[in-house]
Amino acid sequence: MIQRAMGSVRVNRYSIVSTEEDGHKVSSLGSMNGHSRNGKGHAPRRKHRNRFVKKNGQCNVYFANLSNKSQRYMADIFTTCVDTRWRYMLMIFSAAFLVSWLFFGFLFWCIAFFHGDLNAPAVGGGPSLLKPCIMHVNSFLGAFLFSVETQTTIGYGFRCVTEECPLAIMAVVVQSIVGCVIDSFMIGTIMAKMARPKKRAQTLLFSHHAVISVRDGKLCLMWRVGNLRRSHIVEAHVRAQLIKPYMTEEGEYLPLDQRDLNVGYDVGLDRIFLVSPIIIVHEIDEESPLYGIGKEELETENFEIVVILEGMVEATAMTTQARSSYLASEILWGHRFEPVVFEEKNHYKVDYSRFHKTYEVAGTPCCSARELQESKMTILPSPPPPSAFCYENELALVSQDEDEDDDEVGVVLGGNTKEEGGVIQMMDFGSHLDLERLQATLPLDTISYRRESAI
């Protein structure tokens, strides 16, 4: 309602665009309210809980007592190689070639040995009377070099197989086939490992903290996501789940009960255009697991909220998933995120130094959404009194005529002319109290106030 009066109605609740000056004011308000500027420094309020999903997205789960684990992993050897660490992958890569070279080198040495090529007599110091199976292979080292040349198709032209031994020709054919299979498997595995979209998730950011505050007259859980790369995440959408212990009516204990948090799936707000950082909103209503949790209950709750961002990498069209989580101690009650998107002359600037910062909002109810609904309390009555401005409305009021005058805004009060009423120059407000004092001490003319409300 106040936003409508100020002419800045926000259609999409995920969008926020401010000016550079507005961002500095919000930052100063956050420090004035006693909140840490970097969003950290809050002492833990409860017993430490093990995370189900770590901050970097890794699942804190370990498997034990698996039967036939090795056989199951070897049955899907390609996925096993892709999932293994790079150092082990390089060891497997090197070992596969060395074993094949040594095996066929030993096979060629055996063929030459049983054919008598290793100790063939020479006549008058000239060439041997016996035509060898493999030319110039007189030892195991020579056979190993011939194996390497054959599998890698180097072809120095010094060692070669002759038509004297069909077995040697068959061994060359088999080694060529085996070499192609090993090359295809190892190169395919390395390429798949390098092109995994898992690394793309490292350039997707989640805010350090989640916040609960009032938005559009309702309590909402919010967190911020961002993309550090200029390439887009196609078909990006978000999900959230609350994980906590649960006891069923029959007495069954579920240590990790998972419940969905609605982030706008029904109306399509879960699908986002992630070009600039966006605040994801979960409205705490009757269907929300957080419906009966207030500020005091939050300080003693033992749950974890897992947030997931999925989408396709624009360059490879492969699906990637970024994950993070928030413990109950990492949810700030009565806070909002500072603006990070600022409109400049020819473009929009994203200031990631403010990405994790929040500021405290005065007047946020401490009761739960259930109590708020049962008591029929109205957070912002309609029409609101002149002093019921939130800080965003104050910024909008200060910057509504910024294009005309960047330093000050003239407000005409009392009369129809400047000589009768005078001109009050509204400078930057430092807090809500300054604005309320000004509104309380200055009588607003009925006609001029009605005109401002119609803007």
Short mmCIF file of all heavy atoms in Angstrom, two decimals, residues 112-174:
data_model
loop_
_atom_site.label_atom_id
_atom_site.label_comp_id
_atom_site.label_asym_id
_atom_site.label_seq_id
_atom_site.Cartn_x
_atom_site.Cartn_y
_atom_site.Cartn_z
N ALA A 112 59.11 -65.03 -30.13
CA ALA A 112 60.48 -65.02 -30.66
C ALA A 112 61.34 -66.10 -30.00
O ALA A 112 62.19 -66.73 -30.67
CB ALA A 112 61.10 -63.63 -30.44
N PHE A 113 61.12 -66.36 -28.73
CA PHE A 113 61.92 -67.36 -28.03
C PHE A 113 61.64 -68.76 -28.55
O PHE A 113 62.57 -69.54 -28.85
CB PHE A 113 61.64 -67.28 -26.53
CG PHE A 113 62.35 -68.33 -25.71
CD1 PHE A 113 63.70 -68.18 -25.39
CD2 PHE A 113 61.69 -69.48 -25.29
CE1 PHE A 113 64.35 -69.16 -24.66
CE2 PHE A 113 62.33 -70.45 -24.55
CZ PHE A 113 63.67 -70.29 -24.22
N PHE A 114 60.37 -69.12 -28.67
CA PHE A 114 60.03 -70.46 -29.14
C PHE A 114 60.31 -70.64 -30.64
O PHE A 114 60.46 -71.76 -31.11
CB PHE A 114 58.56 -70.76 -28.84
CG PHE A 114 58.29 -70.99 -27.38
CD1 PHE A 114 57.58 -70.06 -26.64
CD2 PHE A 114 58.76 -72.13 -26.74
CE1 PHE A 114 57.33 -70.26 -25.29
CE2 PHE A 114 58.52 -72.34 -25.40
CZ PHE A 114 57.80 -71.40 -24.66
N HIS A 115 60.36 -69.54 -31.37
CA HIS A 115 60.72 -69.65 -32.78
C HIS A 115 62.22 -69.73 -32.98
O HIS A 115 62.69 -70.07 -34.07
CB HIS A 115 60.14 -68.45 -33.55
CG HIS A 115 60.25 -68.59 -35.02
ND1 HIS A 115 61.26 -67.99 -35.78
CD2 HIS A 115 59.48 -69.28 -35.92
CE1 HIS A 115 61.09 -68.30 -37.05
NE2 HIS A 115 60.01 -69.09 -37.17
N GLY A 116 62.97 -69.44 -31.94
CA GLY A 116 64.41 -69.49 -32.01
C GLY A 116 65.06 -68.23 -32.51
O GLY A 116 66.21 -68.27 -32.96
N ASP A 117 64.36 -67.13 -32.46
CA ASP A 117 64.93 -65.88 -32.96
C ASP A 117 65.97 -65.28 -32.03
O ASP A 117 66.84 -64.52 -32.47
CB ASP A 117 63.83 -64.84 -33.19
CG ASP A 117 62.82 -65.29 -34.23
OD1 ASP A 117 63.15 -66.22 -35.00
OD2 ASP A 117 61.71 -64.73 -34.28
N LEU A 118 65.93 -65.64 -30.75
CA LEU A 118 66.82 -65.01 -29.79
C LEU A 118 68.24 -65.55 -29.86
O LEU A 118 69.20 -64.84 -29.52
CB LEU A 118 66.27 -65.20 -28.36
CG LEU A 118 64.87 -64.64 -28.13
CD1 LEU A 118 64.48 -64.83 -26.68
CD2 LEU A 118 64.80 -63.16 -28.50
N ASN A 119 68.39 -66.83 -30.31
CA ASN A 119 69.73 -67.44 -30.37
C ASN A 119 69.97 -68.04 -31.75
O ASN A 119 70.55 -69.10 -31.88
CB ASN A 119 69.90 -68.51 -29.30
CG ASN A 119 68.75 -69.53 -29.35
OD1 ASN A 119 67.87 -69.44 -30.23
ND2 ASN A 119 68.79 -70.49 -28.45
N ALA A 120 69.45 -67.39 -32.83
CA ALA A 120 69.63 -67.92 -34.18
C ALA A 120 71.09 -67.77 -34.60
O ALA A 120 71.68 -66.70 -34.43
CB ALA A 120 68.73 -67.17 -35.17
N PRO A 121 71.76 -68.84 -35.19
CA PRO A 121 73.18 -68.74 -35.58
C PRO A 121 73.35 -67.89 -36.82
O PRO A 121 72.45 -67.76 -37.65
CB PRO A 121 73.56 -70.19 -35.87
CG PRO A 121 72.28 -70.84 -36.28
CD PRO A 121 71.20 -70.18 -35.49
N ALA A 122 74.47 -67.28 -36.88
CA ALA A 122 74.81 -66.44 -38.03
C ALA A 122 75.90 -67.10 -38.85
O ALA A 122 76.73 -67.84 -38.32
CB ALA A 122 75.26 -65.06 -37.59
N VAL A 123 75.94 -66.89 -40.13
CA VAL A 123 76.90 -67.52 -41.05
C VAL A 123 77.90 -66.46 -41.49
O VAL A 123 77.52 -65.47 -42.13
CB VAL A 123 76.19 -68.12 -42.28
CG1 VAL A 123 77.23 -68.73 -43.21
CG2 VAL A 123 75.19 -69.17 -41.83
N GLY A 124 79.21 -66.70 -41.09
CA GLY A 124 80.28 -65.79 -41.52
C GLY A 124 80.07 -64.37 -41.05
O GLY A 124 80.46 -63.43 -41.72
N GLY A 125 79.43 -64.26 -39.92
CA GLY A 125 79.20 -62.92 -39.40
C GLY A 125 78.12 -62.17 -40.13
O GLY A 125 77.85 -61.02 -39.86
N GLY A 126 77.49 -62.82 -41.13
CA GLY A 126 76.44 -62.16 -41.89
C GLY A 126 75.10 -62.33 -41.20
O GLY A 126 74.99 -62.73 -40.04
N PRO A 127 74.05 -62.08 -41.93
CA PRO A 127 72.72 -62.19 -41.35
C PRO A 127 72.36 -63.62 -41.03
O PRO A 127 72.93 -64.57 -41.57
CB PRO A 127 71.82 -61.61 -42.46
CG PRO A 127 72.60 -61.78 -43.72
CD PRO A 127 74.03 -61.64 -43.34
N SER A 128 71.38 -63.80 -40.16
CA SER A 128 70.97 -65.12 -39.71
C SER A 128 70.31 -65.87 -40.86
O SER A 128 69.63 -65.30 -41.72
CB SER A 128 69.99 -65.00 -38.54
OG SER A 128 69.49 -66.27 -38.19
N LEU A 129 70.55 -67.19 -40.89
CA LEU A 129 69.94 -68.02 -41.92
C LEU A 129 68.45 -68.20 -41.68
O LEU A 129 67.69 -68.44 -42.61
CB LEU A 129 70.63 -69.39 -41.97
CG LEU A 129 72.12 -69.37 -42.33
CD1 LEU A 129 72.69 -70.79 -42.27
CD2 LEU A 129 72.33 -68.78 -43.72
N LEU A 130 68.00 -68.09 -40.40
CA LEU A 130 66.60 -68.28 -40.03
C LEU A 130 65.88 -66.94 -40.10
O LEU A 130 66.31 -65.96 -39.49
CB LEU A 130 66.49 -68.86 -38.63
CG LEU A 130 65.07 -69.13 -38.11
CD1 LEU A 130 64.38 -70.20 -38.96
CD2 LEU A 130 65.11 -69.56 -36.65
N LYS A 131 64.76 -66.92 -40.84
CA LYS A 131 64.00 -65.69 -40.94
C LYS A 131 63.19 -65.51 -39.66
O LYS A 131 62.37 -66.36 -39.31
CB LYS A 131 63.07 -65.74 -42.15
CG LYS A 131 62.38 -64.41 -42.42
CD LYS A 131 61.57 -64.48 -43.71
CE LYS A 131 60.95 -63.13 -44.02
NZ LYS A 131 60.17 -63.14 -45.29
N PRO A 132 63.40 -64.43 -38.92
CA PRO A 132 62.72 -64.27 -37.63
C PRO A 132 61.25 -63.90 -37.80
O PRO A 132 60.82 -63.41 -38.85
CB PRO A 132 63.50 -63.15 -36.96
CG PRO A 132 64.02 -62.33 -38.09
CD PRO A 132 64.30 -63.30 -39.21
N CYS A 133 60.46 -64.14 -36.73
CA CYS A 133 59.06 -63.71 -36.71
C CYS A 133 58.95 -62.19 -36.63
O CYS A 133 58.11 -61.57 -37.28
CB CYS A 133 58.32 -64.34 -35.53
SG CYS A 133 58.10 -66.13 -35.69
N ILE A 134 59.83 -61.57 -35.80
CA ILE A 134 59.83 -60.12 -35.61
C ILE A 134 61.26 -59.65 -35.82
O ILE A 134 62.18 -60.10 -35.13
CB ILE A 134 59.32 -59.73 -34.20
CG1 ILE A 134 57.95 -60.34 -33.93
CG2 ILE A 134 59.27 -58.22 -34.05
CD1 ILE A 134 57.45 -60.14 -32.53
N MET A 135 61.42 -58.76 -36.74
CA MET A 135 62.76 -58.28 -37.08
C MET A 135 63.33 -57.45 -35.94
O MET A 135 62.65 -56.64 -35.31
CB MET A 135 62.69 -57.43 -38.35
CG MET A 135 62.21 -58.19 -39.59
SD MET A 135 63.34 -59.50 -40.10
CE MET A 135 64.76 -58.52 -40.58
N HIS A 136 64.62 -57.72 -35.66
CA HIS A 136 65.41 -56.95 -34.70
C HIS A 136 64.83 -57.02 -33.28
O HIS A 136 64.90 -56.05 -32.53
CB HIS A 136 65.52 -55.48 -35.14
CG HIS A 136 66.12 -55.31 -36.48
ND1 HIS A 136 67.48 -55.50 -36.74
CD2 HIS A 136 65.56 -54.97 -37.69
CE1 HIS A 136 67.72 -55.28 -38.02
NE2 HIS A 136 66.57 -54.96 -38.62
N VAL A 137 64.27 -58.14 -32.93
CA VAL A 137 63.83 -58.39 -31.55
C VAL A 137 64.70 -59.52 -31.03
O VAL A 137 64.48 -60.70 -31.35
CB VAL A 137 62.34 -58.75 -31.49
CG1 VAL A 137 61.96 -59.17 -30.06
CG2 VAL A 137 61.49 -57.57 -31.93
N ASN A 138 65.72 -59.18 -30.25
CA ASN A 138 66.68 -60.16 -29.75
C ASN A 138 66.65 -60.28 -28.24
O ASN A 138 67.45 -61.04 -27.67
CB ASN A 138 68.10 -59.78 -30.20
CG ASN A 138 68.22 -59.71 -31.72
OD1 ASN A 138 67.64 -60.54 -32.44
ND2 ASN A 138 68.93 -58.69 -32.22
N SER A 139 65.76 -59.55 -27.57
CA SER A 139 65.67 -59.61 -26.11
C SER A 139 64.27 -59.16 -25.68
O SER A 139 63.45 -58.73 -26.50
CB SER A 139 66.74 -58.72 -25.47
OG SER A 139 66.54 -57.37 -25.83
N PHE A 140 64.03 -59.26 -24.36
CA PHE A 140 62.73 -58.82 -23.85
C PHE A 140 62.55 -57.32 -24.00
O PHE A 140 61.46 -56.83 -24.26
CB PHE A 140 62.58 -59.22 -22.37
CG PHE A 140 61.30 -58.73 -21.76
CD1 PHE A 140 60.10 -59.36 -22.03
CD2 PHE A 140 61.29 -57.61 -20.93
CE1 PHE A 140 58.91 -58.90 -21.48
CE2 PHE A 140 60.11 -57.14 -20.38
CZ PHE A 140 58.91 -57.80 -20.65
N LEU A 141 63.65 -56.57 -23.87
CA LEU A 141 63.57 -55.12 -24.04
C LEU A 141 63.16 -54.76 -25.47
O LEU A 141 62.35 -53.86 -25.69
CB LEU A 141 64.91 -54.48 -23.69
CG LEU A 141 64.95 -52.94 -23.72
CD1 LEU A 141 63.94 -52.36 -22.76
CD2 LEU A 141 66.36 -52.45 -23.41
N GLY A 142 63.71 -55.51 -26.44
CA GLY A 142 63.31 -55.27 -27.83
C GLY A 142 61.84 -55.62 -28.06
O GLY A 142 61.13 -54.90 -28.79
N ALA A 143 61.38 -56.69 -27.42
CA ALA A 143 59.97 -57.06 -27.56
C ALA A 143 59.05 -56.01 -26.91
O ALA A 143 57.97 -55.70 -27.44
CB ALA A 143 59.74 -58.43 -26.94
N PHE A 144 59.50 -55.47 -25.77
CA PHE A 144 58.70 -54.43 -25.11
C PHE A 144 58.62 -53.17 -25.98
O PHE A 144 57.55 -52.56 -26.12
CB PHE A 144 59.31 -54.10 -23.75
CG PHE A 144 58.63 -52.96 -23.04
CD1 PHE A 144 57.40 -53.14 -22.43
CD2 PHE A 144 59.22 -51.71 -22.99
CE1 PHE A 144 56.77 -52.10 -21.78
CE2 PHE A 144 58.59 -50.66 -22.33
CZ PHE A 144 57.36 -50.86 -21.72
N LEU A 145 59.74 -52.78 -26.60
CA LEU A 145 59.73 -51.60 -27.48
C LEU A 145 58.83 -51.84 -28.68
O LEU A 145 58.12 -50.93 -29.13
CB LEU A 145 61.15 -51.28 -27.92
CG LEU A 145 62.10 -50.77 -26.82
CD1 LEU A 145 63.50 -50.58 -27.38
CD2 LEU A 145 61.58 -49.46 -26.24
N PHE A 146 58.84 -53.06 -29.24
CA PHE A 146 57.97 -53.36 -30.37
C PHE A 146 56.50 -53.30 -29.95
O PHE A 146 55.64 -52.84 -30.71
CB PHE A 146 58.30 -54.75 -30.92
CG PHE A 146 57.39 -55.19 -32.02
CD1 PHE A 146 57.47 -54.62 -33.28
CD2 PHE A 146 56.42 -56.16 -31.79
CE1 PHE A 146 56.63 -55.03 -34.30
CE2 PHE A 146 55.57 -56.56 -32.80
CZ PHE A 146 55.67 -55.99 -34.06
N SER A 147 56.19 -53.71 -28.70
CA SER A 147 54.82 -53.63 -28.20
C SER A 147 54.35 -52.18 -28.07
O SER A 147 53.22 -51.84 -28.46
CB SER A 147 54.72 -54.34 -26.85
OG SER A 147 53.45 -54.17 -26.27
N VAL A 148 55.25 -51.32 -27.58
CA VAL A 148 54.89 -49.91 -27.44
C VAL A 148 54.68 -49.27 -28.80
O VAL A 148 53.70 -48.53 -29.02
CB VAL A 148 55.99 -49.17 -26.65
CG1 VAL A 148 55.71 -47.67 -26.63
CG2 VAL A 148 56.08 -49.70 -25.22
N GLU A 149 55.56 -49.58 -29.76
CA GLU A 149 55.43 -49.01 -31.10
C GLU A 149 54.14 -49.48 -31.78
O GLU A 149 53.51 -48.72 -32.52
CB GLU A 149 56.64 -49.38 -31.93
CG GLU A 149 57.95 -48.77 -31.44
CD GLU A 149 59.14 -49.30 -32.20
OE1 GLU A 149 58.93 -49.95 -33.25
OE2 GLU A 149 60.28 -49.07 -31.77
N THR A 150 53.77 -50.72 -31.54
CA THR A 150 52.57 -51.25 -32.18
C THR A 150 51.31 -50.62 -31.62
O THR A 150 50.42 -50.18 -32.37
CB THR A 150 52.50 -52.78 -31.99
OG1 THR A 150 53.67 -53.36 -32.58
CG2 THR A 150 51.27 -53.35 -32.66
N GLN A 151 51.20 -50.53 -30.29
CA GLN A 151 49.97 -50.02 -29.67
C GLN A 151 49.81 -48.53 -29.85
O GLN A 151 48.69 -48.03 -29.99
CB GLN A 151 49.94 -50.40 -28.19
CG GLN A 151 48.63 -50.06 -27.51
CD GLN A 151 48.50 -50.75 -26.17
OE1 GLN A 151 49.05 -51.83 -25.95
NE2 GLN A 151 47.76 -50.14 -25.26
N THR A 152 50.91 -47.81 -29.87
CA THR A 152 50.83 -46.35 -30.03
C THR A 152 50.96 -45.92 -31.49
O THR A 152 50.93 -44.71 -31.76
CB THR A 152 51.93 -45.68 -29.21
OG1 THR A 152 53.22 -46.19 -29.61
CG2 THR A 152 51.73 -45.94 -27.72
N THR A 153 51.09 -46.88 -32.39
CA THR A 153 51.23 -46.63 -33.84
C THR A 153 52.34 -45.62 -34.13
O THR A 153 52.18 -44.74 -34.98
CB THR A 153 49.91 -46.13 -34.44
OG1 THR A 153 49.57 -44.86 -33.88
CG2 THR A 153 48.78 -47.10 -34.18
N ILE A 154 53.45 -45.75 -33.41
CA ILE A 154 54.58 -44.86 -33.66
C ILE A 154 55.22 -45.20 -35.00
O ILE A 154 55.41 -44.35 -35.86
CB ILE A 154 55.60 -44.94 -32.50
CG1 ILE A 154 54.98 -44.39 -31.22
CG2 ILE A 154 56.86 -44.18 -32.85
CD1 ILE A 154 55.87 -44.50 -30.02
N GLY A 155 55.58 -46.50 -35.19
CA GLY A 155 56.11 -46.95 -36.47
C GLY A 155 57.45 -46.34 -36.84
O GLY A 155 57.55 -45.56 -37.78
N TYR A 156 58.51 -46.68 -36.08
CA TYR A 156 59.84 -46.18 -36.41
C TYR A 156 60.39 -46.82 -37.70
O TYR A 156 61.30 -46.28 -38.30
CB TYR A 156 60.80 -46.45 -35.25
CG TYR A 156 60.53 -45.58 -34.03
CD1 TYR A 156 60.27 -46.15 -32.80
CD2 TYR A 156 60.55 -44.20 -34.14
CE1 TYR A 156 60.03 -45.35 -31.69
CE2 TYR A 156 60.31 -43.40 -33.03
CZ TYR A 156 60.05 -43.99 -31.81
OH TYR A 156 59.81 -43.20 -30.73
N GLY A 157 59.85 -47.98 -38.08
CA GLY A 157 60.32 -48.64 -39.30
C GLY A 157 61.53 -49.53 -39.10
O GLY A 157 62.11 -50.02 -40.07
N PHE A 158 61.94 -49.73 -37.84
CA PHE A 158 63.12 -50.56 -37.56
C PHE A 158 62.71 -51.98 -37.18
O PHE A 158 63.27 -52.95 -37.67
CB PHE A 158 63.93 -49.90 -36.43
CG PHE A 158 65.20 -50.63 -36.10
CD1 PHE A 158 66.26 -50.60 -37.00
CD2 PHE A 158 65.34 -51.33 -34.92
CE1 PHE A 158 67.45 -51.27 -36.71
CE2 PHE A 158 66.52 -51.99 -34.64
CZ PHE A 158 67.57 -51.96 -35.53
N ARG A 159 61.71 -52.11 -36.32
CA ARG A 159 61.17 -53.41 -35.93
C ARG A 159 59.83 -53.63 -36.62
O ARG A 159 58.99 -52.75 -36.64
CB ARG A 159 61.00 -53.51 -34.41
CG ARG A 159 62.29 -53.37 -33.62
CD ARG A 159 62.03 -53.42 -32.11
NE ARG A 159 63.25 -53.29 -31.36
CZ ARG A 159 63.81 -52.13 -31.02
NH1 ARG A 159 63.22 -50.99 -31.36
NH2 ARG A 159 64.93 -52.10 -30.34
N CYS A 160 59.63 -54.84 -37.11
CA CYS A 160 58.38 -55.16 -37.79
C CYS A 160 58.17 -56.67 -37.74
O CYS A 160 59.12 -57.45 -37.61
CB CYS A 160 58.40 -54.67 -39.23
SG CYS A 160 59.69 -55.40 -40.25
N VAL A 161 56.94 -57.09 -37.86
CA VAL A 161 56.58 -58.49 -37.88
C VAL A 161 56.66 -59.00 -39.33
O VAL A 161 56.37 -58.25 -40.28
CB VAL A 161 55.18 -58.71 -37.30
CG1 VAL A 161 54.12 -58.06 -38.18
CG2 VAL A 161 54.87 -60.19 -37.12
N THR A 162 57.05 -60.25 -39.50
CA THR A 162 57.16 -60.86 -40.83
C THR A 162 56.07 -61.90 -41.02
O THR A 162 55.34 -62.24 -40.09
CB THR A 162 58.53 -61.52 -40.99
OG1 THR A 162 58.66 -62.61 -40.06
CG2 THR A 162 59.65 -60.50 -40.76
N GLU A 163 55.96 -62.41 -42.27
CA GLU A 163 54.95 -63.43 -42.56
C GLU A 163 55.40 -64.82 -42.14
O GLU A 163 54.71 -65.81 -42.41
CB GLU A 163 54.64 -63.42 -44.05
CG GLU A 163 55.77 -63.84 -44.97
CD GLU A 163 56.71 -62.71 -45.29
OE1 GLU A 163 56.55 -61.61 -44.71
OE2 GLU A 163 57.62 -62.91 -46.12
N GLU A 164 56.52 -64.89 -41.45
CA GLU A 164 57.04 -66.19 -41.03
C GLU A 164 56.16 -66.82 -39.95
O GLU A 164 55.99 -68.04 -39.90
CB GLU A 164 58.47 -66.01 -40.50
CG GLU A 164 59.15 -67.32 -40.08
CD GLU A 164 59.48 -68.20 -41.27
OE1 GLU A 164 59.50 -67.70 -42.41
OE2 GLU A 164 59.71 -69.41 -41.04
N CYS A 165 55.55 -65.99 -39.06
CA CYS A 165 54.78 -66.50 -37.92
C CYS A 165 53.37 -65.91 -37.94
O CYS A 165 53.20 -64.72 -37.62
CB CYS A 165 55.46 -66.18 -36.61
SG CYS A 165 57.09 -66.92 -36.43
N PRO A 166 52.37 -66.70 -38.31
CA PRO A 166 50.99 -66.19 -38.24
C PRO A 166 50.57 -65.83 -36.83
O PRO A 166 49.74 -64.94 -36.64
CB PRO A 166 50.16 -67.35 -38.79
CG PRO A 166 51.12 -68.16 -39.61
CD PRO A 166 52.43 -68.03 -38.94
N LEU A 167 51.16 -66.51 -35.84
CA LEU A 167 50.81 -66.19 -34.45
C LEU A 167 51.23 -64.77 -34.09
O LEU A 167 50.50 -64.06 -33.38
CB LEU A 167 51.48 -67.20 -33.51
CG LEU A 167 51.15 -67.04 -32.02
CD1 LEU A 167 49.65 -67.21 -31.79
CD2 LEU A 167 51.94 -68.05 -31.19
N ALA A 168 52.39 -64.34 -34.58
CA ALA A 168 52.83 -62.97 -34.32
C ALA A 168 51.91 -61.96 -35.00
O ALA A 168 51.60 -60.89 -34.44
CB ALA A 168 54.27 -62.79 -34.79
N ILE A 169 51.47 -62.27 -36.21
CA ILE A 169 50.54 -61.37 -36.91
C ILE A 169 49.23 -61.25 -36.14
O ILE A 169 48.67 -60.16 -35.97
CB ILE A 169 50.30 -61.87 -38.33
CG1 ILE A 169 51.62 -61.88 -39.12
CG2 ILE A 169 49.26 -61.01 -39.04
CD1 ILE A 169 51.51 -62.48 -40.50
N MET A 170 48.73 -62.38 -35.63
CA MET A 170 47.49 -62.36 -34.84
C MET A 170 47.67 -61.55 -33.56
O MET A 170 46.75 -60.81 -33.14
CB MET A 170 47.07 -63.78 -34.52
CG MET A 170 45.71 -63.89 -33.84
SD MET A 170 45.26 -65.61 -33.55
CE MET A 170 45.16 -66.19 -35.25
N ALA A 171 48.84 -61.66 -32.94
CA ALA A 171 49.10 -60.90 -31.71
C ALA A 171 49.10 -59.40 -31.99
O ALA A 171 48.60 -58.58 -31.19
CB ALA A 171 50.43 -61.33 -31.10
N VAL A 172 49.64 -58.98 -33.14
CA VAL A 172 49.64 -57.56 -33.51
C VAL A 172 48.22 -57.05 -33.70
O VAL A 172 47.85 -55.95 -33.27
CB VAL A 172 50.49 -57.35 -34.78
CG1 VAL A 172 50.31 -55.93 -35.31
CG2 VAL A 172 51.95 -57.61 -34.49
N VAL A 173 47.37 -57.88 -34.37
CA VAL A 173 45.98 -57.48 -34.59
C VAL A 173 45.25 -57.32 -33.26
O VAL A 173 44.52 -56.34 -33.03
CB VAL A 173 45.27 -58.50 -35.51
CG1 VAL A 173 43.79 -58.19 -35.59
CG2 VAL A 173 45.90 -58.50 -36.89
N VAL A 174 45.43 -58.29 -32.36
CA VAL A 174 44.75 -58.23 -31.07
C VAL A 174 45.21 -57.03 -30.26
O VAL A 174 44.40 -56.33 -29.63
CB VAL A 174 44.98 -59.54 -30.29
CG1 VAL A 174 44.43 -59.43 -28.87
CG2 VAL A 174 44.34 -60.72 -31.01
#
